[in-house]
Amino acid sequence: MKTKNRTGSRLIIGLVFLFLYAPILLLIIFSFNAGDSSAVWKGFSLHWYAELFRNRLVMESVYTTLLVSLVATAIATVAGTFAAIGLYSLGRRRREALLTVNNIPMMNADIVTGVSLCLFFVAFFQGWGVFAKWFNGLNLSLMGRLLQLPDRLVLGMATLILAHVSFNIPYVILNVAPKLRQMDRNLMDAAQDLGCTWMQAFWKVMLPEIKPGIVSGALIAFTMSIDDFVISYFTAGSANSTLAMTIYGMTKKRVTPVVNAVSTLLFLSVLVLLVISNVKEARQERQGRWSTVRRPGVLDRLAQRAAEPRFSWVRRGLAGGLVCVFVASVSFLSYATGSRPVVNVCSWGEYIDEELIGQFEEMTGIRVNYQTAESNEALYSLLKSGGADYDVIVPSDYMIGRLIAEDMLEPLDYSQIPNFSLIDDRFKNLSYDPENLYTVPYTWGTLGLIYNTALVDEELTSWGALYDDRYAGQVLLINNSRDALGEALLYLGYSVNTTDEREIREAYELVADANRRGVFQGRVMDEVLQAMEGGNAAIATYYAGDYLTMLENNEDLAFVIPEEGANWFVDAMCMLKDAPHRREAHMWINFIASTDANLANMDYIWYASPNREALEKYPAYYEELYGEELDPEIYEIMAAPAELLERCEAYLNLPPETLNLYKKLWTQLGAD
């Protein structure tokens, strides 16, 4: 009976661990995939590990992550340890009350902590600006320019580290406090009665007793810092990006397999660290149990000799060496993540040929801090919260109109952007910027219907396929209210820019009814790439450039602009109001608008260029680069011809009441 129980328990434990670690195992396996898909295996290769060390953006985010984690862990461990000692000295009631307060940040949602820290920093910076202007004005009349305070503070490395420290301290306290409770409260008093100072008693008596708690607290703090996204996202500013932020931002296109490689290395590093820590604690427990019944071994005798006073210099030397390694690591990582002058850019994940960043830096000596956002709405929220200090952003057309209407963009000096003359006239004076004051187009493309010809036995030509019961459970709805309702509006014969509430509600009912009937498999954005590449869905809607990326991994896929028309979009480079690096921003925009940069980008992201010369030269560029002719059908999907664009509409910035209606209906769809 006992054997059966043990077998059942082991089976349950095995299934639990399989459930927990199967996704990580899959990630590790696909880090060795020769292809760039996380759904289609194309053979074993170490290509992505080699590519990892050449990927500037990922490596810089790794440097930043390690720097923040090391510094925050060191500060939080020291501060949390002494805070726990302070709590330990209080009476029982006050100690328990304060420990309850200490537990609140750990039980609280990270999003609340991140937003509150962001708002605190922004409010402090605003107050600081007022104080600095007053102080500098007063000081100028008294002492000239001998002492001038900076009148503008922004989110950056300092706020990122402070946020991580405040986030980690409660975890350190939680681990150190139990060890303090287990310690005899009279030991410290006895040591001081024998002539020790408090600090000597701390080092000789208390520290050895609570060291396991300190080590556990430091390990948890380090792990939490490496893994954190939310706190970093709201406090990092525009010049810093942690690895979690970089991965999360890669949702415009896909999470590159390079991330699989770096995630594998980080997972194995943390696993080894935890194994070493647990093995050490288990060995110490065994030594404690066996010390009275067995003779000490060679390692035990060496440890005893190392603990003797005459070997104290060895211990101090090792401690000093560790401190030097820590300082050297921080110095190296600081150097690797900071230089001047800079330009802060925010775009979409996998939306630039990263070699262009290196070319620009080599050409100009200007460092590019490149960050990514996952959607226009997320970027807008971040800008409105004051949590970003970008110079250049790359939003889509309708969001640009909203930013202009809210006076959040700076007019460009086109005399510093001579390559603007290369932009095709079709992409100038558009509805979102009719006077060409704020923008330089970056890419353009279309939204269309994508379907798997192995699962769909007909040629699709209408948006109606999205709502057809024949494909129930096989349709992916785009997780974007403007696109999802826009497709329904087009199918019903309405404009995607209608402000008629009746028409919008009719489109909503069409989508909601299909949702209730189980037609939709789910709502997705970047997940569509893996789902369609792996043949896990029959129909989806997404952007033409991303379809061409999917086609590389699944030749059964097809793309069509439905007969009712579709959305065509333009993403453009803009400068934010009061951008701190205007000269550098203009230089970056001009560089990216060049023909060579546009050709490289077209080849990398499969989105069409607004540069007239690049559009004309790309077929020849492709043939020269790959030694084969570019398929005309592929080129027509990437750069839709004028007659096809005539059936398409660009999104306009809608009135606030219409946007609120979209938001309300989209929330309601999730609740249905």
Side-chain angles (χ1 to χ4, degrees), residues 194-466:
L194 292 173
C196 287
T197 64
W198 187 91
M199 189 56 69
Q200 288 173 328
F202 169 76
W203 285 106
K204 299 291 185 180
V205 178
M206 182 180 289
L207 186 60
E209 293 288 330
I210 65 174
K211 184 165 40 174
I214 295 175
V215 172
S216 297
L219 285 174
I220 290 177
F222 184 75
T223 304
M224 296 295 289
S225 284
I226 279 187
D227 185 57
D228 171 72
F229 162 72
V230 176
I231 306 295
S232 302
Y233 181 76
F234 287 99
T235 60
S238 56
N240 306 285
S241 182
T242 64
L243 182 61
M245 293 169 62
T246 299
I247 295 172
Y248 188 69
M250 290 178 178
T251 54
K252 177 68 177 179
K253 193 168 186 180
R254 67 163 72 242
V255 176
T256 170
V258 167
V259 173
N260 294 345
V262 72
S263 299
T264 298
L265 295 178
L266 284 175
F267 170 75
L268 294 177
S269 299
V270 172
L271 180 63
V272 169
L273 191 63
L274 291 175
V275 168
I276 291 173
S277 176
N278 288 327
V279 168
K280 183 179 178 182
E281 288 186 13
R283 181 178 294 176
Q284 288 175 345
E285 290 179 4
R286 287 198 303 270
Q287 288 174 348
R289 291 197 304 267
W290 296 349
S291 59
T292 58
V293 297
R294 69 178 181 89
R295 297 178 61 186
V298 176
L299 292 177
D300 296 323
R301 291 196 296 271
L302 288 175
Q304 290 173 2
R305 293 190 64 189
E308 295 175 5
R310 57 179 173 162
F311 290 105
S312 62
W313 61 272
V314 176
R315 298 195 303 272
R316 292 172 183 171
L318 289 173
L322 290 174
V323 171
C324 290
V325 169
F326 174 76
V327 172
S329 300
V330 170
S331 300
F332 169 75
L333 295 174
S334 298
Y335 173 78
T337 54
S339 64
R340 291 294 186 270
V342 300
V343 58
N344 300 320
V345 180
C346 184
S347 185
W348 314 117
E350 286 289 283
Y351 208 42
I352 188 173
D353 183 349
E354 292 170 12
E355 292 185 4
L356 293 175
I357 297 176
Q359 293 175 17
F360 177 79
E361 291 181 330
E362 184 177 349
M363 181 189 307
T364 64
I366 298 171
R367 176 182 172 78
V368 181
N369 291 320
Y370 190 90
Q371 289 191 5
T372 58
E374 75 277 12
S375 69
N376 284 286
E377 288 70 25
L379 174 62
Y380 175 80
S381 297
L382 187 61
L383 296 177
K384 292 296 286 186
S385 71
D389 194 38
Y390 302 117
D391 299 302
V392 180
I393 58 174
V394 190
S396 299
D397 37 29
Y398 71 95
M399 184 55 66
I400 293 173
R402 187 172 183 178
L403 295 174
I404 293 174
E406 297 182 20
D407 194 30
M408 296 175 65
L409 298 183
E410 185 78 20
L412 297 175
D413 180 1
Y414 288 92
S415 66
Q416 299 184 52
I417 313 175
N419 286 331
F420 182 69
S421 62
L422 300 175
I423 301 298
D424 194 290
D425 289 340
R426 289 184 296 164
F427 308 105
K428 294 180 179 179
N429 304 104
L430 296 177
S431 58
Y432 59 85
D433 186 14
E435 298 181 33
N436 283 329
L437 297 177
Y438 300 95
T439 61
V440 173
Y442 180 73
T443 58
W444 63 279
T446 55
L447 180 75
L449 201 60
I450 303 171
Y451 62 99
N452 191 322
T453 56
L455 302 176
V456 178
D457 57 4
E458 61 178 324
E459 183 178 344
L460 300 184
T461 59
S462 170
W463 289 116
L466 293 174

Side-chain angles (χ1 to χ4, degrees), residues 647-660:
R647 293 198 284 115
C648 300
E649 276 189 279
Y651 291 140
L652 302 178
N653 181 35
L654 300 174
E657 57 271 17
T658 305
L659 293 175
N660 289 334

Side-chain angles (χ1 to χ4, degrees), residues 460-531:
L460 300 184
T461 59
S462 170
W463 289 116
L466 293 174
Y467 321 111
D468 195 327
D469 286 327
R470 289 180 297 167
Y471 307 113
Q474 291 292 307
V475 179
L476 296 174
L477 179 67
I478 191 167
N479 194 17
N480 178 311
S481 61
R482 196 74 194 268
D483 287 327
L485 296 183
E487 296 159 0
L489 286 167
L490 288 169
Y491 176 67
L492 295 170
Y494 303 136
S495 167
V496 296
N497 296 307
T498 181
T499 57
D500 188 316
E501 182 175 344
R502 181 189 60 79
E503 294 178 351
I504 295 173
R505 286 189 177 276
E506 186 179 345
Y508 165 76
E509 286 301 327
L510 177 64
V511 176
D513 180 62
N515 188 47
R516 286 189 289 267
R517 288 186 280 112
V519 175
F520 301 132
Q521 184 184 109
R523 296 194 291 184
V524 298
M525 284 299 288
D526 62 305
E527 301 92 341
V528 70
L529 280 89
Q530 294 187 29

